[in-house]
Amino acid sequence: MAGPRAPLHRRPCGRRPAARPDRRLLGRRERRDLHHRKLRKVEGLHFRRDATDSDSEAALDGDLEALAALRGMYAFVVAHPDGRVIAVRDPLGVKPLYWAHSGGAVYFASELAAFPESMRGAVEDFPPGFRWTPDEGLVRFRELHIGGEFVASKDEARTAIRDTLVTAVRRRMMADVPVGVFLSGGLDSSLVAAIMARYADDVPGPIHSFAAGTAGSSDLAAARRVAEHLGLTHHERIYDADEVVAVLPEVVTSIESYEPSLVRSAVPNYLLAETTAETVKVVLTGEGADELFACYAHYRDIDEAHDLADELRRGISGLHNLNLQRCDRVTMAHGLEARVPFLDRDLVNLAGRIPIEWRLPGELGQEKALLREAFTGWLPDDLLWRPKEQFGDGSGTADVMTERAAHLVPEDDWADERVAGLPAPRTREELAYQRMFATRLAGVNSHVLGRFATA
């Protein structure tokens, strides 16, 4: 039997933390001016002064030199009445954009499925941080990683992390409607929720939090505690194994990937987004913190600091067709806008200036210690220092999916099977997802798709 589709609404519990003395540092009017309104006032960027009040129009109306000043997530193609065309994608690739050259024309779309099957073999991922015009071709307009002096001390690093993340969250709370937060009960989403609760006056209505998982899962329990402590209006989506299996084809089609790790985390995200969209249309997430602060276990196996720095840069640069692709697709499938404050360009640049050894745990240490220390007192210690769990694990979904998805494929000789145009499957589970992928996305060249090192 499928789990309940309607969210379990929980009334606000506990007291909202008192505002810090610096609350007026970034008032509501000033905060809004940090975005498109401020851009319109910058001399030399040639934004039209009589445009509408839409933030999107600020991006569409600026000249080519204004692109580097844009902040946030975007991908757009603009065709002007005089025949000029420009295509642009944000430096992190938070928003998707694909293109294909065929028959002397150039085609663009935000999804692979939008291209006819006959053209899919020519489809490429439009590179993040680039613009394209017919005259100039591809031109990088902004580097993702910008160098600078290393932060001098851990105290300075903690202060900078806290201030920069607070500002990044508040920038993304800009809305004329209630906003929410995906709350897994892990560190990253809990910190975003804590900042939103402290600055709740920045948005209309209460702060809504949303969690998903199987009954009794650790993520649901931890998220409940965080929401109660912060006084959030909390919602839960509880599902069972049958619902997980039933929704798998939709999820694989939505994220346009058969990567097992991505699918495992996408299922709870997809169900969570479905529930969230019934209440709010804008939600903040904790995406990107693991890559910025070297959370993954395999980072400990890299001995040389410069090698680790290179690996972290690759991890951030590769988010666009892995975790960010999953985040964008499962939310937009339900008309929900997901915002990613940890990937604010100021925080990405700050992380790059924090010495590698400060971001790594010791042999017995906790991951992301510097980030946790930066927010001492914002959450109870047991929540602030809760060990990391992958979303699929904490939500109780991963084991169910591994077992049930594998059963969709006969056990005998599965390793010898191939899906046309796709690489050899690494597991029975991956083969099951490849078959779902090929049913609706036949012809896609596999090099467009991101893959993790292990399945």
Side-chain angles (χ1 to χ4, degrees):
M1 180 179 296
R5 297 188 69 82
L8 170 65
H9 295 277
R10 298 173 59 85
R11 300 305 303 162
C13 301
R15 287 189 170 186
R16 182 171 291 141
R20 289 192 148 202
D22 65 352
R23 182 168 185 137
R24 295 179 59 193
L25 182 62
L26 194 63
R28 190 169 187 177
R29 180 174 300 173
E30 289 83 356
R31 179 175 53 82
R32 288 175 178 268
D33 279 348
L34 285 174
H35 300 274
H36 58 287
R37 295 181 183 176
K38 186 173 181 179
L39 282 178
R40 295 175 193 273
K41 299 176 183 178
V42 176
E43 292 298 327
L45 294 189
H46 307 297
F47 288 99
R48 194 173 60 220
R49 298 301 186 259
D50 59 349
T52 72
D53 197 40
S54 167
D55 57 347
S56 297
E57 188 164 343
L60 299 178
D61 193 53
D63 62 15
L64 295 182
E65 299 307 314
L67 292 174
L70 297 179
R71 180 187 295 277
M73 53 187 191
Y74 50 89
F76 56 84
V77 180
V78 184
H80 293 276
D82 61 6
R84 289 177 298 124
V85 177
I86 180 172
V88 182
R89 192 177 184 192
D90 69 72
L92 272 162
V94 180
K95 303 304 287 185
L97 186 60
Y98 299 98
W99 62 336
H101 294 71
S102 179
V106 183
Y107 299 81
F108 295 89
S110 59
E111 295 182 354
L112 294 168
F115 295 91
E117 185 174 340
S118 61
M119 193 186 295
R120 288 176 186 164
V123 174
E124 301 282 347
D125 194 26
F126 191 90
F130 280 78
R131 70 175 191 246
W132 175 88
T133 63
D135 294 335
E136 291 185 305
L138 274 176
V139 176
R140 179 180 287 279
F141 66 88
R142 192 177 189 281
E143 295 288 344
L144 174 56
H145 302 284
I146 298 175
E149 296 292 327
F150 279 115
V151 177
S153 69
K154 285 191 175 181
D155 282 344
E156 181 183 339
R158 294 184 192 102
T159 299
I161 289 169
R162 183 174 58 252
D163 292 348
T164 306
L165 182 57
V166 167
T167 300
V169 170
R170 296 191 70 191
R171 281 177 177 143
R172 286 154 184 82
M173 290 172 68
M174 186 187 74
D176 296 319
V177 295
V179 298
V181 56
F182 280 173
L183 184 58
S184 70
L187 175 68
D188 311 326
S189 63
S190 296
L191 290 181
V192 172
I195 296 168
M196 293 175 72
R198 185 162 293 198
Y199 295 97
D201 289 348
D202 285 357
V203 295
I207 301 295
H208 295 267
S209 57
F210 302 87
T214 55
S217 61
S218 59
D219 274 2
L220 284 181
R224 238 176 255 144
R225 281 203 56 215
V226 173
E228 289 172 357
H229 175 76
L230 297 175
L232 309 179
T233 300
H234 193 54
H235 312 256
E236 293 179 352
R237 174 68 181 268
I238 301 173
Y239 51 83
D240 64 11
D242 289 338
E243 190 171 4
V244 167
V245 174
V247 81
L248 271 175
E250 293 178 45
V251 171
V252 170
T253 300
S254 173
I255 66 173
E256 297 190 323
S257 174
Y258 51 81
E259 174 63 36
S261 297
L262 213 61
V263 178
R264 289 186 210 119
S265 59
V267 167
N269 267 173
Y270 185 90
L271 296 171
L272 179 60
E274 183 179 54
T275 291
T276 301
E278 297 171 1
T279 304
V280 300
K281 294 302 178 185
V282 177
V283 67
L284 276 63
T285 83
E287 298 289 342
D290 291 336
E291 287 77 13
L292 288 183
F293 294 98
C295 181
Y296 296 120
H298 70 272
Y299 290 146
R300 300 189 189 198
D301 299 328
I302 302 175
D303 296 326
E304 297 294 332
H306 67 272
D307 291 338
L308 180 56
D310 289 343
E311 181 63 24
L312 292 176
R313 280 192 290 270
R314 280 193 294 270
I316 293 291
S317 300
L319 279 172
H320 69 278
N321 61 2
L322 286 168
N323 285 331
L324 286 177
Q325 177 170 318
R326 183 245 318 141
C327 175
D328 179 79
R329 303 302 183 79
V330 298
T331 50
M332 292 307 295
H334 301 290
L336 183 65
E337 179 185 334
R339 300 176 179 177
V340 286
F342 273 101
L343 294 175
D344 183 274
R345 72 186 191 192
D346 292 341
L347 193 55
V348 171
N349 291 335
L350 171 62
R353 296 189 297 107
I354 295 174
I356 290 292
E357 56 270 23
W358 296 356
R359 286 187 276 166
L360 275 179
E363 185 175 346
L364 301 176
Q366 184 95 34
E367 76 282 349
K368 291 187 277 197
L370 203 61
L371 176 61
R372 298 174 195 270
E373 292 165 358
F375 285 89
T376 297
W378 287 63
L379 293 167
D381 282 350
D382 64 316
L383 294 174
L384 185 65
W385 291 89
R386 182 190 176 208
K388 177 179 176 57
E389 289 185 273
Q390 297 295 334
F391 189 34
D393 297 327
S395 65
T397 309
D399 291 341
V400 168
M401 290 178 62
T402 301
E403 177 185 356
R404 298 286 290 273
H407 287 167
L408 298 174
V409 174
E411 185 172 2
D412 296 337
D413 300 326
W414 67 265
D416 295 328
E417 290 202 31
R418 297 290 184 273
V419 175
L422 300 183
R426 293 166 289 182
T427 63
R428 287 172 67 196
E429 180 188 7
E430 183 172 36
L431 178 57
Y433 302 151
Q434 285 186 345
R435 289 177 172 177
M436 297 175 191
F437 179 91
T439 298
R440 304 190 190 181
L441 290 160
V444 170
N445 195 320
S446 62
H447 77 266
V448 178
L449 310 173
R451 295 190 97 191
F452 290 114
T454 60

